Amino acid sequence: MKKYGLIIVVMLLLVSVLFMSGCNNEDMLANGDETTADPAETGTLVFTADGEEFIREGFLSKDGWELSFDQAYVTMGGITAYQTDPPYDTGQGWDIDYQVKVELDGIHSVNLADPTNDPAVLEELAEVPAGHYNAISWEMLRASEGPSSGYSLFLVGQAEKGGEVVDFTLGIEQEVAYLGGDYIGDERKGIVTPNGIADLEMTFHFDHLFGDGEEDLDDPLNQEALGFEPLAVLAVDGALEVDLAYLEKAFSAEDYELLLSILTHLAHVGEGHALARFIN
Amino acid sequence: MFKKNRHAGLSLLVIIFAALCLPIIIAAGIAQAHGVELEYVERNAIEVTARYDTEDPMAGAQVAVFAPDSPAEPWLTGTCDSAGRFFFVPDPEIPGLWEVQIRHAGHGGLLRIEVDESGISPAGTTGFTGPQKLLMTAAVIWGLVGTALYFSRRRS
């Protein structure tokens, strides 16, 4: 009896230690320095979104449709930038340990097809703690108002192939959460110096959706892209107005699953892939 | 800017194959000819190999190396060779976390390498994974339980 009592005591001690170590980790996550920065050690962080030249200037889909876009609305919320040390890497999954976290309030809907949105500036946050914001998370949410109301992603444009023209409207209702690491691109981003200004970008790669006709058809990009042809065949008298609910019935199961999968590969931080998971 | 040459679904695989003991040999010994003086030194270099997740090498990928004391400006730039390899020798007088950014075909990744006076180690690989931690915890618990049983038996 005494023996079992001793075992139980040891086990309880161990569980307590493990529990406390877990709590400490949670405390660290919750205690990011969000509001107590020394004003002399603060700067401005500008949050931007970019659809790149693909969406602003149009491009050739993998199946030969010349695409141009009048609207490409993306609606984002829960935008949060992090300073992480050691630096966060998407290989770690969704658990992110951070020292500093700043959040951008509100819902932001932007038209990435607007040629002036190179990139689109969502908002500036002043007096954020200086340092390297090397991770960012956001959610692509259904808009509650505006041209893209009801959709998290809303594309309006024209597709042309061999003299055939399709005016298309594609609405995506699915909401998606994204988490990315450091910006990968021509320049470093997110490095806020005292009294300085830096930007941090959420990047959307639309060639993942339609493919890139300038690449080989067997290029992995094109093999994993939907293209435009599956949409074009649904057009009536040169017009196509569809959303995800419609496509679930109209598409083959394979194409519909592919479209859902592409939504998880759409977002990047520059050229660095972001993690994605469906919400709602 | 990133319009061309994008590979869908590719995530960058960056692996350090050999971080230490890669002697950079400029020449063996000293040779003189036509007023040229050649010599060599041995340095510990880092070899980075970058591949797509299709295992294809990121041949010709752009490389930018950032030193810890200047994270916004590249300390060194270059390109991967046809096998996706890139060599560089970090300045040992700038200890800390060095970052190597590799980009090609619209995708890229960032590799972190801890450098100090005593050597080079890949950042992020020195910790233990979740399963490893679980295994270690289980081993410790089992050891303690065994110890408790042992002493319990002796008392009785």
Side-chain angles (χ1 to χ4, degrees), chain A residues 129-151:
Chain A
H132 189 176
Y133 290 86
N134 52 10
I136 183 170
S137 64
W138 72 97
E139 294 173 344
M140 193 169 77
L141 302 170
R142 280 190 290 275
S144 59
E145 58 185 7
S148 61
S149 181
Y151 300 106

Short mmCIF file of all heavy atoms in Angstrom, two decimals, chain A residues 129-151:
data_model
loop_
_atom_site.label_atom_id
_atom_site.label_comp_id
_atom_site.label_asym_id
_atom_site.label_seq_id
_atom_site.Cartn_x
_atom_site.Cartn_y
_atom_site.Cartn_z
N PRO A 129 6.31 48.85 -30.85
CA PRO A 129 7.68 48.59 -30.40
C PRO A 129 8.62 48.36 -31.58
O PRO A 129 8.28 47.63 -32.52
CB PRO A 129 7.53 47.32 -29.54
CG PRO A 129 6.10 47.32 -29.11
CD PRO A 129 5.33 47.93 -30.24
N ALA A 130 9.77 48.98 -31.52
CA ALA A 130 10.77 48.76 -32.57
C ALA A 130 11.23 47.31 -32.53
O ALA A 130 11.18 46.65 -31.51
CB ALA A 130 11.95 49.71 -32.37
N GLY A 131 11.66 46.84 -33.67
CA GLY A 131 12.15 45.47 -33.76
C GLY A 131 11.76 44.85 -35.09
O GLY A 131 11.19 45.51 -35.97
N HIS A 132 12.05 43.59 -35.22
CA HIS A 132 11.82 42.89 -36.48
C HIS A 132 10.52 42.08 -36.38
O HIS A 132 10.46 41.09 -35.65
CB HIS A 132 13.01 41.96 -36.77
CG HIS A 132 12.98 41.35 -38.13
ND1 HIS A 132 13.99 40.55 -38.61
CD2 HIS A 132 12.06 41.41 -39.13
CE1 HIS A 132 13.70 40.16 -39.84
NE2 HIS A 132 12.52 40.65 -40.16
N TYR A 133 9.53 42.51 -37.09
CA TYR A 133 8.26 41.78 -37.14
C TYR A 133 8.41 40.69 -38.21
O TYR A 133 8.27 40.94 -39.41
CB TYR A 133 7.10 42.74 -37.44
CG TYR A 133 6.83 43.65 -36.28
CD1 TYR A 133 7.53 44.85 -36.14
CD2 TYR A 133 5.93 43.30 -35.29
CE1 TYR A 133 7.33 45.68 -35.05
CE2 TYR A 133 5.72 44.12 -34.18
CZ TYR A 133 6.41 45.30 -34.07
OH TYR A 133 6.22 46.11 -32.98
N ASN A 134 8.73 39.51 -37.75
CA ASN A 134 9.09 38.43 -38.68
C ASN A 134 8.04 37.33 -38.75
O ASN A 134 8.35 36.20 -39.16
CB ASN A 134 10.46 37.86 -38.32
CG ASN A 134 10.56 37.47 -36.86
OD1 ASN A 134 9.56 37.45 -36.15
ND2 ASN A 134 11.76 37.16 -36.42
N ALA A 135 6.82 37.66 -38.39
CA ALA A 135 5.70 36.74 -38.59
C ALA A 135 4.42 37.55 -38.64
O ALA A 135 4.34 38.63 -38.04
CB ALA A 135 5.63 35.70 -37.48
N ILE A 136 3.46 37.03 -39.36
CA ILE A 136 2.18 37.75 -39.48
C ILE A 136 1.06 36.73 -39.68
O ILE A 136 1.25 35.71 -40.34
CB ILE A 136 2.22 38.76 -40.65
CG1 ILE A 136 0.91 39.56 -40.74
CG2 ILE A 136 2.54 38.09 -41.98
CD1 ILE A 136 0.97 40.74 -41.71
N SER A 137 -0.07 37.01 -39.06
CA SER A 137 -1.24 36.17 -39.25
C SER A 137 -2.43 37.04 -39.62
O SER A 137 -2.49 38.22 -39.26
CB SER A 137 -1.55 35.37 -37.98
OG SER A 137 -1.88 36.23 -36.91
N TRP A 138 -3.33 36.48 -40.36
CA TRP A 138 -4.54 37.20 -40.72
C TRP A 138 -5.61 36.20 -41.14
O TRP A 138 -5.34 35.02 -41.34
CB TRP A 138 -4.29 38.22 -41.82
CG TRP A 138 -4.05 37.67 -43.20
CD1 TRP A 138 -4.95 37.53 -44.20
CD2 TRP A 138 -2.79 37.22 -43.75
NE1 TRP A 138 -4.34 37.02 -45.33
CE2 TRP A 138 -3.02 36.82 -45.08
CE3 TRP A 138 -1.48 37.12 -43.25
CZ2 TRP A 138 -2.01 36.33 -45.91
CZ3 TRP A 138 -0.48 36.62 -44.07
CH2 TRP A 138 -0.75 36.24 -45.37
N GLU A 139 -6.83 36.73 -41.25
CA GLU A 139 -7.94 35.89 -41.69
C GLU A 139 -8.57 36.52 -42.92
O GLU A 139 -8.73 37.74 -42.98
CB GLU A 139 -8.98 35.76 -40.58
CG GLU A 139 -8.44 35.01 -39.35
CD GLU A 139 -9.41 35.04 -38.19
OE1 GLU A 139 -10.34 35.88 -38.21
OE2 GLU A 139 -9.25 34.22 -37.26
N MET A 140 -8.90 35.69 -43.89
CA MET A 140 -9.64 36.16 -45.06
C MET A 140 -11.12 35.89 -44.75
O MET A 140 -11.54 34.73 -44.63
CB MET A 140 -9.17 35.40 -46.30
CG MET A 140 -9.65 36.02 -47.60
SD MET A 140 -8.83 35.29 -49.05
CE MET A 140 -9.69 33.72 -49.19
N LEU A 141 -11.87 36.97 -44.58
CA LEU A 141 -13.22 36.88 -44.04
C LEU A 141 -14.26 37.36 -45.05
O LEU A 141 -13.96 38.19 -45.92
CB LEU A 141 -13.33 37.74 -42.78
CG LEU A 141 -12.36 37.39 -41.64
CD1 LEU A 141 -12.42 38.46 -40.56
CD2 LEU A 141 -12.68 36.02 -41.08
N ARG A 142 -15.47 36.87 -44.89
CA ARG A 142 -16.57 37.33 -45.76
C ARG A 142 -16.84 38.81 -45.46
O ARG A 142 -17.02 39.20 -44.31
CB ARG A 142 -17.83 36.51 -45.50
CG ARG A 142 -17.83 35.17 -46.20
CD ARG A 142 -19.19 34.52 -46.11
NE ARG A 142 -19.50 34.09 -44.75
CZ ARG A 142 -19.13 32.93 -44.22
NH1 ARG A 142 -18.44 32.07 -44.94
NH2 ARG A 142 -19.45 32.63 -42.99
N ALA A 143 -16.91 39.60 -46.51
CA ALA A 143 -17.23 41.02 -46.35
C ALA A 143 -18.69 41.16 -45.97
O ALA A 143 -19.55 40.42 -46.46
CB ALA A 143 -16.92 41.76 -47.64
N SER A 144 -18.95 42.12 -45.10
CA SER A 144 -20.34 42.36 -44.71
C SER A 144 -20.95 43.53 -45.45
O SER A 144 -22.14 43.81 -45.32
CB SER A 144 -20.41 42.61 -43.19
OG SER A 144 -19.61 43.73 -42.85
N GLU A 145 -20.13 44.22 -46.22
CA GLU A 145 -20.63 45.36 -46.99
C GLU A 145 -19.69 45.58 -48.18
O GLU A 145 -18.64 44.96 -48.29
CB GLU A 145 -20.68 46.61 -46.11
CG GLU A 145 -19.32 46.97 -45.52
CD GLU A 145 -19.40 48.13 -44.55
OE1 GLU A 145 -20.53 48.57 -44.25
OE2 GLU A 145 -18.35 48.61 -44.12
N GLY A 146 -20.12 46.48 -49.05
CA GLY A 146 -19.28 46.82 -50.19
C GLY A 146 -19.49 45.90 -51.38
O GLY A 146 -20.34 45.00 -51.35
N PRO A 147 -18.71 46.10 -52.43
CA PRO A 147 -18.90 45.35 -53.68
C PRO A 147 -18.76 43.83 -53.51
O PRO A 147 -19.36 43.07 -54.27
CB PRO A 147 -17.77 45.88 -54.59
CG PRO A 147 -17.32 47.13 -53.97
CD PRO A 147 -17.60 47.04 -52.52
N SER A 148 -17.98 43.42 -52.53
CA SER A 148 -17.74 41.98 -52.37
C SER A 148 -18.53 41.39 -51.21
O SER A 148 -18.18 40.32 -50.70
CB SER A 148 -16.25 41.74 -52.15
OG SER A 148 -15.80 42.39 -50.98
N SER A 149 -19.59 42.09 -50.82
CA SER A 149 -20.37 41.65 -49.65
C SER A 149 -20.77 40.17 -49.77
O SER A 149 -21.29 39.73 -50.79
CB SER A 149 -21.63 42.53 -49.54
OG SER A 149 -22.38 42.12 -48.41
N GLY A 150 -20.51 39.44 -48.72
CA GLY A 150 -20.85 38.02 -48.69
C GLY A 150 -19.72 37.11 -49.08
O GLY A 150 -19.82 35.89 -48.96
N TYR A 151 -18.62 37.71 -49.56
CA TYR A 151 -17.51 36.90 -50.06
C TYR A 151 -16.18 37.33 -49.43
O TYR A 151 -15.94 38.52 -49.22
CB TYR A 151 -17.40 37.00 -51.58
CG TYR A 151 -18.66 36.52 -52.28
CD1 TYR A 151 -19.54 37.43 -52.87
CD2 TYR A 151 -18.97 35.17 -52.31
CE1 TYR A 151 -20.70 36.99 -53.49
CE2 TYR A 151 -20.12 34.72 -52.94
CZ TYR A 151 -20.99 35.64 -53.52
OH TYR A 151 -22.13 35.20 -54.11
#
